[in-house]
Amino acid sequence: MMKFRFRRQGADPQREKLKQELFAFHKTVEHGFPNQPSALAFDPELRIMAIGTRSGAVKIYGAPGVEFTGLHRDAATVTQMHFLPGQGRLLTLLDDSSLHLWEVVHHNGCAHLEEALHHQPPSRPGFDGASGLPSLARITVVLLVAAGDLAALGTEGGSVFFLDVPTLTLLEGQTLGPDEVLRSVPDDYRCGKALGPVESLQGHLRDPTKILIGYSRGLLVIWNRAARCADRIFLGNQQLESVCWERSGRTLVSSHSDGSYAVWATDAGDSPTTQPTVATTPYGPFPCKAISKILWRNCASGEHFIVFSGGMPRASYGDRHCVSVLQAETLVTLDFTSRVIDFFTVHSTRPEDEFDEPQALAVLLEEELVVLDLQTPGWPAVPAPYLAPLHSSAITCSAHVANVPAKLWARIVSAGEQQNPQPASGASSWPITGGRNLAQEPTQRGLLLTGHEDGTVRFWDASGVALRPLYKLSTAGLFQTDCEHADSLAQAAEDDWPPFRKVGCFDPYSDDPRLGVQKVALCKYTAQMVVAGTAGQVLVLELSDEPSDQAVGVASVDLLQDREGFTWKGHERLSPRTGPLPWPAGFQPRALVQCLPPAAVTAVTLHAEWGLVAFGTSHGFGLFDYLRRSPVLARCTLHPNDSLAMEGPLSRVKSLKKSLRQSFRRIRKSRVSGKKRLTAASSKLQEANAQLAEQAGPHDVEVTPVQRRIEPRSADDSLSGVVRCLYFADTFLRDAAHHGPTMWAGTNSGSVFAYALEVPAAAANSDRRPERAVEAVLGKEVQLMHRAPVVAVAVLDGRGRPLPEPYEASRDLAQAPDMQGGHAVLIASEEQFKVFTLPKVSAKTKFKLTAHEGCRVRKVALATFASVACEDYAETCLACLTNLGDVHVFSVPSLRPQVHYACIRKEDISGIASCVFTRHGQGFYLISPSEFERFSLSARNITEPLCSLDISWPRDAMRARPQESPKLSQANGTPGVVLGPQSRSGSPDPTRSEGTDTPELPEATLSPTSVDSATSADTTLDTTGDVTVEDVKDFLGSSEESEKNLRNLSEDEARACPILIG
């Protein structure tokens, strides 16, 4: 019989108000290191640093928690950045020669970054009136003079233009052309080639009227702007790369393309000067690469610092990325693993001080930021409280642990401090300390765990805005790799010239790809964790405060169960070391489980209270008792046609014939099914129309949009046996009177296996090995009709709440679950969510997400959303991320849609795959290999920068400026916080959530979309009728029209309609 779902009455206003108090979408902060940095700047007065990127992003950093982010409208590379000292303003130059002025503006006590002005210089010839100077083509260098009110622009044509910075307008009549400079040059130097582009502009610290101009040909000119003449000329003949003017103004140092640098005296002899006082090639005599930048910093001791990048011997070390630090007879060649972008020193810039006395050296590299303490002997590296390279080895997985106990937190921090002992001197401190962090101390501690390709797991403090590294766990020491050979080679090369010193932690090369971490799980109450890898290794570890020497027990679990006809063609298993091994303080291995075949682990879960760990691969799943060091269960999930599962991710023997055969099978299958649908659909359409006309007229009802047809997946699809999720629960499985431990496993083919476990009482409350073994008996097996992959499984108690984590209930750390009412199990597949009652496993409620929205589920999590209006009210909901990058929130257990937001671009596949939700309504996803974007779905739980700067603007700095258009603050270009000019008015924004200072997107983009009234009727179980709307979808309307109708249903149009079921 034909059935239709009709719309219910309009949405409840009280519920809509409650939604606004519970849910709100914010993209709050970007953790990690900016992707593809291209420019660097430092304000010595405010002690803040700016980094520009190739995507046009601008990021300003101060003390931990002080961060500002902006994004240029055009995705052009930021080539140069210059702070107006003490003003909180930043001038940026893009590769299209456009100039942009940014300001840190305070609003309601907090500061944010805005673009105030932008200017595109003209490129037409003869701009400077009748002078007929060359066109203002590409700008090569920018210099701020006169306290930042004036900027000198050096160009590729050799001219120097002057710009009024507060208005970003070029000053006519002050342009300095190369012809005017050549008049002061001797005739023999003037003949021949031109001066070339302006390579460097330097200002005098005490005399702002003088500018040092360096041309590519090698000519250096000290130009007096007031007298419009050259004070001194230095005739260099080697191609110029960089110039630095010493603090007193008596010395210049220039670097050149042949790897040499020269020192010039400004007060020696008459002008022009033809020979430098010192000229040397530090790494000669063989041909060297160019010294791209050089700095001279003097000290009261007379032992000056010379810092330069490049200059390495071209043949031997031309591929090295180096910065050299020279002081008196001490030379250190800092060897980095990525390209040097720029560097600066933190030193005194007050005009009354006679010496620079550098305190620190900051080097921006393509993949990390390194800071060295120049006041401590040995110049040690200063640990960064933020900007740590998350991708020092490629991130392969991530997990979040909320509400970490204070004791465990202190132990992890202590283990991390023992890994990186700090020097006894107190001078080694982070030098970038500008601004004030106004955010309150976090009420709970959050850990972000990242697994990496080199077998390490890194622990990050994710409690606040600054993502701080705490501890690094390495699993490579347990296995035999080629590390020792590489270390011996590096040790042998240490005494060679140049005196290299490895600096930084970015190391993209893995000794063995099999070490890669695929899954991690941590029990925060027992300090036990599980790390699973690419070669089927499952490692059980426990936190220890003291170093130890111990052997690790190894157990193997055969997941194929001697099934015939399968041969593993992938990588070999890792060979563990034998005998006692030294382990430092921190997480130390207790047991190693090796899955056979050694395929990558796809799912893992830990129950420390029962002493059990479950793991799954593409072949099956297993259960291991790590207290007794014995396997409990092994189940093969392979289908007879799952031959691809035997080849592994690192195999190169995939058959082209096999791939073609599968492709032709799919084509043939789709053609056959299409013909069957066409023949049957016409009769069904007539039947459906007749019944619809009999039951209700068109003026009485509003029909919900038709659902998309979801084709059942074939049972013999490749990789159908992949285990997608594992779950432990204390619930009712055998009967409704007795509850006990259970284990649930979901696979790629839509199968769910539920096992009843017999766990001895000794294993629940003791670390000693129980005499009885844990037993597992298959209790239930569920096969989803559409065979969609099972993404997650969760058991709900009698009140419809998720079960607490291990030890939470027994230690009174959470409310005990309701064991009196009936339990239910929520099974989330890629296409729908479904709730089954327990122990009968009968369907209760469902929501077909793919049928309604045309998307597939990628990540799900149960999260608690607290109300901003009532301290004690909270709801547990299901958060879901789809393959289109949208985040949906559903009520539990009714599965009613609450809100949905556009979060990630659908083209960003890696971002969607890397997303991880927290227990309190936040989430993280990778916007680049080195950056996590943090977002919040909760109206109350928001982690965002709240900070201020003590800035002092000149009196005329607040002159009228053209009003700028709103901008996105997200560096990756995804929808995020809009920073528009309206925030400068000082009036509070009524759309903002309480306790935040981040403006929201326009309502049309970010308003919670209520789809309750349109789809809630379909959340009940469908048990009636053989013919559904799906059968006649192709005739009633296209899927695109259906989706549009679903989204356009407004709540005010809803009216009471009877629900007719045929």
Side-chain angles (χ1 to χ4, degrees):
M1 183 177 290
M2 191 71 183
K3 71 147 178 40
F4 284 91
R5 300 287 183 185
F6 299 104
R7 294 184 55 189
R8 300 189 317 163
Q9 199 165 359
D12 184 5
Q14 293 185 352
R15 181 60 191 171
E16 294 303 312
K17 182 175 181 293
L18 189 57
K19 287 182 184 179
Q20 296 179 1
E21 297 172 354
L22 290 173
F23 312 111
F25 181 73
H26 301 271
K27 287 190 177 181
T28 54
V29 66
E30 295 169 1
H31 295 302
F33 184 78
N35 186 43
Q36 296 182 326
S38 57
L40 178 68
F42 179 68
D43 188 339
E45 293 188 22
L46 295 180
R47 310 279 285 194
I48 56 177
M49 175 185 65
I51 296 178
T53 71
R54 293 174 59 183
S55 61
V58 176
K59 297 170 180 283
I60 298 180
Y61 302 92
V66 178
E67 294 186 14
F68 307 97
T69 302
L71 183 67
H72 291 90
R73 299 171 194 174
D74 298 328
T77 300
V78 181
T79 57
Q80 292 186 43
M81 312 175 77
H82 301 273
F83 274 108
L84 280 65
Q87 301 181 25
R89 297 197 288 178
L90 180 71
L91 184 66
T92 61
L93 172 68
L94 305 186
D95 60 355
D96 60 358
S97 290
S98 62
L99 294 162
H100 304 258
L101 184 63
W102 296 82
E103 295 179 351
V104 175
V105 180
H106 285 77
H107 174 64
N108 289 346
C110 294
H112 61 273
L113 187 64
E114 288 185 0
E115 182 182 348
L117 295 170
H118 69 275
H119 174 68
Q120 183 73 48
S123 58
R124 63 182 184 274
F127 169 75
D128 196 19
S131 60
L133 291 178
S135 63
L136 178 54
R138 191 176 69 88
I139 299 175
T140 56
V141 64
V142 177
L143 170 67
L144 293 178
V145 294
D149 290 338
L150 190 69
L153 310 177
T155 66
E156 201 169 32
S159 300
V160 178
F161 293 80
F162 291 92
L163 182 84
D164 180 59
V165 174
T167 60
L168 285 191
T169 57
L170 288 174
L171 301 177
E172 299 187 18
Q174 297 193 24
T175 303
L176 174 62
D179 295 339
E180 192 171 357
V181 174
L182 284 173
R183 297 192 190 106
S184 304
V185 176
D187 294 339
D188 57 345
Y189 190 88
R190 191 184 315 168
C191 299
K193 55 184 179 180
L195 296 180
V198 178
E199 291 290 345
S200 181
L201 291 173
Q202 296 290 320
H204 196 288
L205 185 62
R206 297 185 175 89
D207 189 353
T209 63
K210 294 183 178 181
I211 297 177
L212 173 62
I213 307 172
Y215 293 92
S216 177
R217 181 177 170 183
L219 178 68
L220 303 176
V221 178
I222 298 179
W223 185 261
N224 192 322
R225 288 193 305 111
R228 288 195 65 85
C229 66
D231 283 357
R232 299 212 35 106
I233 293 177
F234 307 90
L235 303 178
N237 289 306
Q238 185 61 41
Q239 182 176 336
L240 184 71
E241 294 288 335
S242 173
V243 178
C244 181
W245 205 345
E246 185 260 340
R247 184 186 190 90
S248 65
R250 295 189 294 268
T251 305
L252 308 176
V253 58
S254 61
S255 65
H256 302 277
S257 61
D258 63 347
S260 65
Y261 70 85
V263 180
W264 308 79
T266 62
D267 53 359
D270 297 330
S271 181
T273 302
T274 58
Q275 294 297 327
T277 57
V278 176
T280 180
T281 304
Y283 298 108
F286 299 106
C288 297
K289 300 196 72 173
I291 295 179
S292 56
K293 181 177 180 177
I294 191 166
L295 296 178
W296 175 296
R297 299 290 181 251
N298 57 15
C299 302
S301 62
E303 297 180 343
H304 310 307
F305 279 91
I306 296 179
V307 185
F308 60 89
S309 59
M312 302 308 297
R314 187 177 296 273
S316 304
Y317 304 105
D319 58 343
R320 298 289 186 100
H321 310 290
C322 298
V323 171
S324 301
V325 183
L326 175 64
Q327 185 186 29
E329 300 299 324
T330 303
L331 174 64
V332 173
T333 307
L334 306 175
D335 188 13
F336 302 103
T337 54
S338 59
R339 185 169 58 92
V340 177
I341 303 297
D342 202 355
F343 58 92
F344 64 84
T345 58
V346 180
H347 61 278
S348 172
T349 57
R350 293 178 299 181
E352 59 269 19
D353 291 343
E354 186 177 355
F355 301 100
D356 294 312
E357 296 295 345
Q359 306 164 15
L361 170 65
V363 183
L364 176 66
L365 307 161
E366 197 168 36
E367 306 293 351
E368 62 184 322
L369 177 76
V370 175
V371 177
L372 300 180
D373 180 12
L374 298 181
Q375 294 184 329
T376 301
W379 304 332
V382 180
Y386 50 84
L387 282 178
L390 303 175
H391 64 317
S392 52
S393 176
I395 296 177
T396 51
C397 67
S398 56
H400 184 270
V401 183
N403 299 328
V404 178
K407 183 177 180 181
L408 174 61
W409 188 271
R411 295 178 66 190
I412 293 176
V413 171
S414 174
E417 291 175 348
Q418 295 182 51
Q419 283 184 334
N420 302 297
Q422 298 302 312
S425 172
S428 180
S429 59
W430 186 249
I432 304 164
T433 58
R436 294 194 310 274
N437 184 11
L438 304 180
Q440 298 181 353
E441 282 295 318
T443 57
Q444 57 92 18
R445 297 291 185 182
L447 270 179
L448 181 65
L449 309 180
T450 55
H452 297 265
E453 192 180 38
D454 61 352
T456 60
V457 178
R458 286 170 168 82
F459 291 63
W460 307 90
D461 178 3
S463 310
V465 172
L467 192 68
R468 182 168 61 99
L470 298 179
Y471 167 74
K472 182 176 77 170
L473 163 67
S474 177
T475 62
L478 184 59
F479 304 100
Q480 296 178 6
T481 61
D482 297 332
C483 297
E484 300 83 0
H485 180 62
D487 291 343
S488 63
L489 290 178
Q491 188 73 23
E494 275 188 358
D495 298 330
D496 295 343
W497 173 263
F500 288 117
R501 172 182 161 191
K502 285 285 186 183
V503 183
C505 60
F506 177 72
D507 184 11
Y509 306 107
S510 173
D511 296 299
D512 194 326
R514 296 175 296 174
L515 291 171
V517 176
Q518 296 296 321
K519 298 291 177 181
V520 292
L522 172 68
C523 176
K524 58 189 178 184
Y525 301 112
T526 60
Q528 295 175 343
M529 72 178 300
V530 177
V531 177
T534 305
Q537 70 272 26
V538 179
L539 199 56
V540 182
L541 306 103
E542 188 172 3
L543 184 61
S544 175
D545 299 326
E546 300 293 334
S548 65
D549 292 329
Q550 60 179 357
V552 179
V554 181
S556 298
V557 177
D558 184 8
L559 297 180
L560 288 183
Q561 296 292 290
D562 300 326
R563 184 173 295 193
E564 297 180 355
F566 290 94
T567 303
W568 174 247
K569 303 175 184 177
H571 49 262
E572 296 294 327
R573 57 181 287 183
L574 285 166
S575 299
R577 299 176 187 271
T578 57
L581 300 173
W583 300 105
F587 281 92
Q588 300 173 354
R590 294 289 182 260
L592 171 63
V593 185
Q594 179 61 57
C595 301
L596 296 177
V601 177
T602 57
V604 74
T605 187
L606 170 71
H607 202 295
E609 197 168 359
W610 301 338
L612 297 175
V613 57
F615 46 87
T617 69
S618 57
H619 307 124
F621 56 88
L623 183 64
F624 185 77
D625 179 0
Y626 61 84
L627 295 180
R628 290 176 53 90
R629 308 290 200 275
S630 62
V632 177
L633 167 71
R635 171 69 183 260
C636 181
T637 57
L638 282 178
H639 189 271
N641 291 338
D642 267 349
S643 55
L644 283 182
M646 302 307 296
E647 296 181 354
L650 304 180
S651 173
R652 301 193 178 189
V653 295
K654 293 187 177 180
S655 170
L656 176 61
K657 185 191 302 182
K658 191 181 304 178
S659 301
L660 291 174
R661 187 185 304 122
Q662 291 175 348
S663 300
F664 282 118
R665 282 178 180 172
R666 289 194 203 99
I667 295 173
R668 192 181 306 117
K669 190 184 304 179
S670 63
R671 288 176 178 173
V672 172
S673 60
K675 292 178 181 177
K676 291 180 179 179
R677 287 200 305 270
L678 284 174
T679 55
S682 58
S683 59
K684 292 181 180 180
L685 175 63
Q686 297 173 1
E687 217 175 294
N689 288 337
Q691 293 186 5
L692 178 62
E694 292 174 1
Q695 294 180 8
H699 59 280
D700 295 327
V701 297
E702 278 190 3
V703 185
T704 56
V706 295
Q707 300 175 4
R708 292 166 175 79
R709 178 188 301 276
I710 307 300
E711 292 292 342
R713 307 190 185 198
S714 173
D716 59 353
D717 280 347
S718 299
L719 302 178
S720 62
V722 175
V723 178
R724 294 289 294 272
C725 62
L726 293 163
Y727 178 71
F728 286 116
D730 185 356
T731 186
F732 302 90
L733 187 62
R734 293 177 174 173
D735 55 63
H738 304 89
H739 63 87
T742 62
M743 185 195 76
W744 302 72
T747 72
N748 231 21
S749 60
S751 300
V752 178
F753 304 93
Y755 283 83
L757 307 179
E758 291 290 341
V759 181
N765 303 308
S766 173
D767 290 339
R768 61 185 178 87
R769 299 183 182 182
E771 295 181 0
R772 288 180 49 212
V774 178
E775 298 179 1
V777 178
L778 180 62
K780 306 288 182 181
E781 184 173 344
V782 180
Q783 177 63 59
L784 300 182
M785 183 172 57
H786 286 301
R787 298 184 178 275
V790 178
V791 179
V793 176
V795 172
L796 310 176
D797 67 3
R799 293 186 292 264
R801 299 176 180 175
L803 299 183
E805 294 183 10
Y807 285 109
E808 280 189 337
S810 60
R811 298 185 180 182
D812 295 328
L813 301 171
Q815 184 179 3
D818 182 7
M819 292 296 184
Q820 303 301 322
H823 283 199
V825 58
L826 169 63
I827 299 178
S829 73
E830 283 191 359
E831 297 178 0
Q832 66 180 6
F833 309 120
K834 207 164 187 177
V835 175
F836 297 86
T837 60
L838 289 176
K840 292 185 178 180
V841 193
S842 59
K844 180 180 179 183
T845 309
K846 72 175 179 181
F847 184 85
K848 296 188 284 187
L849 185 68
T850 302
H852 285 295
E853 302 292 339
C855 55
R856 297 189 183 276
V857 178
R858 287 293 176 258
K859 303 282 182 176
V860 294
L862 290 167
T864 302
F865 294 87
S867 171
V868 295
C870 179
E871 291 286 334
D872 299 328
Y873 183 78
E875 290 185 8
T876 299
C877 298
L878 179 70
C880 153
L881 176 70
T882 72
N883 64 325
L884 302 181
D886 298 333
V887 175
H888 298 251
V889 178
F890 298 87
S891 61
V892 173
S894 60
L895 296 182
R896 297 183 186 274
Q898 302 300 304
V899 292
H900 72 264
Y901 308 101
C903 181
I904 310 175
R905 293 179 296 110
K906 63 181 180 181
E907 298 84 8
D908 189 3
I909 299 175
S910 62
I912 295 174
S914 63
C915 182
V916 56
F917 290 105
T918 75
R919 290 184 60 184
H920 299 288
Q922 295 194 34
F924 302 83
Y925 69 92
L926 287 173
I927 56 175
S928 72
S930 59
E931 288 175 291
F932 272 112
E933 175 80 72
R934 187 176 193 140
F935 64 90
S936 175
L937 304 173
S938 170
R940 179 173 170 182
N941 186 21
I942 302 175
T943 303
E944 63 180 353
L946 299 175
C947 48
S948 66
L949 274 181
D950 295 327
I951 57 179
S952 58
W953 283 6
R955 295 179 182 177
D956 59 345
M958 294 304 294
R959 68 184 68 177
R961 297 190 305 269
Q963 191 175 33
E964 70 278 4
S965 60
K967 305 168 290 296
L968 291 175
S969 73
Q970 306 303 322
N972 63 331
T974 55
V977 181
V978 170
L979 299 180
Q982 64 275 10
S983 62
R984 315 177 91 197
S985 62
S987 60
D989 190 347
T991 63
R992 303 171 60 79
S993 61
E994 183 177 337
T996 70
D997 196 59
T998 306
E1000 295 181 354
L1001 276 176
E1003 185 178 357
T1005 307
L1006 277 186
S1007 60
T1009 306
S1010 175
V1011 290
D1012 219 4
S1013 58
T1015 59
S1016 56
D1018 202 50
T1019 59
T1020 56
L1021 183 63
D1022 174 21
T1023 58
T1024 60
D1026 298 327
V1027 182
T1028 67
V1029 179
E1030 294 177 2
D1031 296 317
V1032 293
K1033 179 196 67 173
D1034 295 335
F1035 301 93
L1036 293 181
S1038 66
S1039 60
E1040 291 80 4
E1041 292 173 345
S1042 305
E1043 184 175 5
K1044 182 178 179 181
N1045 293 336
L1046 176 62
R1047 297 182 184 275
N1048 291 339
L1049 288 175
S1050 59
E1051 297 165 0
D1052 56 348
E1053 294 176 347
R1055 59 180 182 271
C1057 296
I1059 300 179
L1060 304 180
I1061 302 178

